[in-house]
Amino acid sequence: MALAVMSVGLAVGSGVGFGQSVTLMEPEAPLLPAAFGEWKQTADSGAVKAATLSYSLLGLDAQAMGECGERRSKAADYTRGGRVVHVEAIQFGDRTGAYSAFTLAERPGMRVGSELGTYDADAVGGNAVLFTVGKSLVMATFGGEVTEPDVVSLRPLAQAMPKVFGGAGAVPILPTLPPAKGLVGGSLRYALGPVSYAAEGGVLPAASLNWKMEPEAVTVRYDDERGKETLTLLLYPTPTIAESAAKTIQGEVPQLKDGGARLRQDGALVLLAMGSFAGDAAQQMIAGIHLSRMTFNQDAHPPFKVVAAQTFTLLENIAVLSGVLGAGAVLLGLFLGLGRAWFRVLRGKPAAVEVEFLSLHLAPQNKPAVFRGTDSPEGF
C-alpha cells in the first residue's frame, strides 16, 4: 500500500510545478440508485409512463423551481413482483429549497405526514408518494392506487438518497411558526421567490414583497369555529427591511382599514391575517407568533423535528470528519513507515536499523575532578 501511495505522490509531483495547486473533486453520488429494497431498475417503463402523463415532478414551472435552487434531476423506473413505479428526483442547493419545492409540488388531497420515518416531510395521495430527503425532492408514481406496503417499500430509497452536510442541511424555521389550532392539513405553502409565491396561492401582490432582499414566505389556511382565515408570514434579513415591507403591505391591503385583516411586525418577521375570524381572534393568533418561541406540533406542517434533525446532522458530520482524519493518519503512517523501509531496501540496506545515539565524546578532553580535604595546602 505504501508503494501505491508513493506512486500516486510521484505522479502528482511530476505533473505539477512549484507554485501550482491541485484540486481533487469527489464525483457526486448518483441521484437515484440502481436498486433499493426489492425494487430493481428497468428500462421497460410503458406501463408507468401512461400513469404519469397527468402529473410529473420534472414538469413543474421551471422559474419556480429555479427560485428553489434546482441543481440536477433524474428519472428512473423500477419493478418489483410485477408492480411498477416511476421515480423522479430533483436535488437542490439546500434543504430549504427542497422543502419549498415540496410545497409547490404537493397536490390537493394528499395526506401530509411523516410515514417514511425520516426527519423530512412526505405526502401520500392517489397513485403518488412525494417526499424530501435532505436537499432532494422525490416523487414515486405507481401504476395504481398507492397502498401502505408501497409506502413502506420506499423507505430504502429514502435511506439511499444522497446525504446533506453542514449549513445546507439546516431545516427552515419559518414553516414551524404557524399555530396548529384550526390549521387546514396540507395547506401550508413555503416560497422563496415571487413566481413560487404566486403559484402557491399567495394573497399579496408578489411583486411588492421586495424579493431582491431574499425573504421567505409562508401561506397557510385556517378553518374552525372562529371562521376562515389565511395567515401570511414573511421573514426578512433585518428588522429595518421588514418594517419597510410592512409599510408597503399597509398600503396595498384595503381590508386593513375595515378590520377584515390584521398586520403585525415583530423584528424581522411580518405577519398578516386575512379572513373571517370573529372578534379579535386574528389579532390574538398573530400576537402569539414569535421567532424566539417556535412550535413543534406533529399536527402542524411540516412535521420537522428541528432540534433532533440538527443534532443528528452535527453528530453525523463529526463522525465523517473523524473517519477522514483517521484514514489520513493511517495512510501517513504507512507512507512514513513502510515507505522509508522500502527505500532502504532499494539502496541495499536492511529495512530496520538500530537506534543511534549522539555523544559529545568529552571524556578524553577533560581531566577528572580532584577533591581535596580541608588540610590541603590550598585550603580546599
Side-chain angles (χ1 to χ4, degrees):
M1 181 178 292
L3 177 58
V5 172
M6 289 187 64
S7 299
V8 172
L10 291 174
V12 173
S14 62
V16 180
F18 291 104
Q20 296 181 346
S21 61
V22 176
T23 302
L24 299 178
M25 298 296 293
E26 182 180 357
E28 289 187 291
L31 192 52
L32 287 176
F36 60 90
E38 299 179 359
W39 293 96
K40 308 298 180 183
Q41 195 171 135
T42 177
D44 184 13
S45 58
V48 184
K49 288 185 177 179
T52 60
L53 291 177
S54 60
Y55 189 76
S56 171
L57 189 63
L58 302 182
L60 294 175
D61 188 292
Q63 275 189 285
M65 298 301 277
E67 290 176 350
C68 299
E70 180 179 349
R71 296 291 179 86
R72 58 173 176 153
S73 60
K74 179 72 174 178
D77 302 308
Y78 299 85
T79 60
R80 182 194 67 167
R83 191 153 173 78
V84 189
V85 63
H86 178 69
V87 179
E88 298 175 333
I90 302 177
Q91 189 175 73
F92 298 85
D94 53 29
R95 200 184 216 121
T96 297
Y99 181 67
S100 178
F102 172 86
T103 64
L104 180 66
E106 187 183 331
R107 292 187 288 179
M110 277 188 158
R111 183 177 68 257
V112 178
S114 185
E115 299 186 25
L116 289 177
T118 68
Y119 290 118
D120 300 73
D122 60 56
V124 181
N127 64 340
V129 178
L130 179 71
F131 62 94
T132 62
V133 176
K135 56 182 181 179
S136 300
L137 173 65
V138 182
M139 174 174 277
T141 307
F142 293 84
E145 192 77 14
V146 174
T147 64
E148 184 176 348
D150 288 334
V151 177
V152 173
S153 72
L154 293 176
R155 290 179 180 174
L157 174 60
Q159 296 170 359
M161 294 300 294
K163 302 298 184 290
V164 59
F165 303 101
V171 298
I173 299 300
L174 192 62
T176 67
L177 298 182
K181 181 182 178 182
L183 187 149
V184 177
S187 69
L188 190 146
R189 298 293 180 265
Y190 176 56
L192 301 175
V195 177
S196 56
Y197 177 76
E200 293 174 355
V203 297
L204 293 169
S208 65
L209 298 183
N210 200 5
W211 291 100
K212 65 180 181 181
M213 293 301 176
E214 300 183 352
E216 303 172 32
V218 162
T219 303
V220 61
R221 292 186 291 110
Y222 289 83
D223 188 356
D224 58 17
E225 70 279 0
R226 297 170 295 178
K228 295 183 179 181
E229 200 81 6
T230 298
L231 176 64
T232 300
L233 297 90
L234 300 166
L235 181 60
Y236 288 88
T238 68
T240 302
I241 300 174
E243 181 180 4
S244 176
K247 291 179 180 178
T248 301
I249 294 172
Q250 185 80 39
E252 294 188 348
V253 181
Q255 294 91 328
L256 289 171
K257 298 179 180 179
D258 58 23
R262 302 299 175 94
L263 178 68
R264 173 174 169 264
Q265 180 204 348
D266 180 22
L269 187 65
V270 177
L271 305 106
L272 174 69
M274 296 177 58
S276 62
F277 268 21
D280 293 330
Q283 186 63 40
Q284 292 174 0
M285 180 173 66
I286 63 175
I289 300 175
H290 303 277
L291 279 174
S292 58
R293 184 172 62 82
M294 297 177 294
T295 60
F296 304 99
N297 273 294
Q298 287 300 323
D299 295 332
H301 184 64
F304 284 125
K305 302 175 183 177
V306 177
V307 176
Q310 292 177 337
T311 303
F312 175 79
T313 301
L314 175 62
L315 295 176
E316 192 175 33
N317 291 345
I318 292 174
V320 171
L321 178 61
S322 300
V324 171
L325 293 178
V330 171
L331 289 176
L332 184 62
L334 291 173
F335 176 75
L336 296 178
L338 298 181
R340 182 171 180 270
W342 174 76
F343 186 68
R344 289 182 57 83
V345 170
L346 289 181
R347 298 175 58 190
K349 297 181 179 182
V353 296
E354 296 293 334
V355 179
E356 298 179 356
F357 293 92
L358 296 177
S359 174
L360 297 179
H361 303 290
L362 298 178
Q365 303 176 26
N366 300 300
K367 296 180 180 180
V370 177
F371 298 95
R372 296 181 174 85
T374 56
D375 57 347
S376 63
E378 291 83 356
F380 292 106

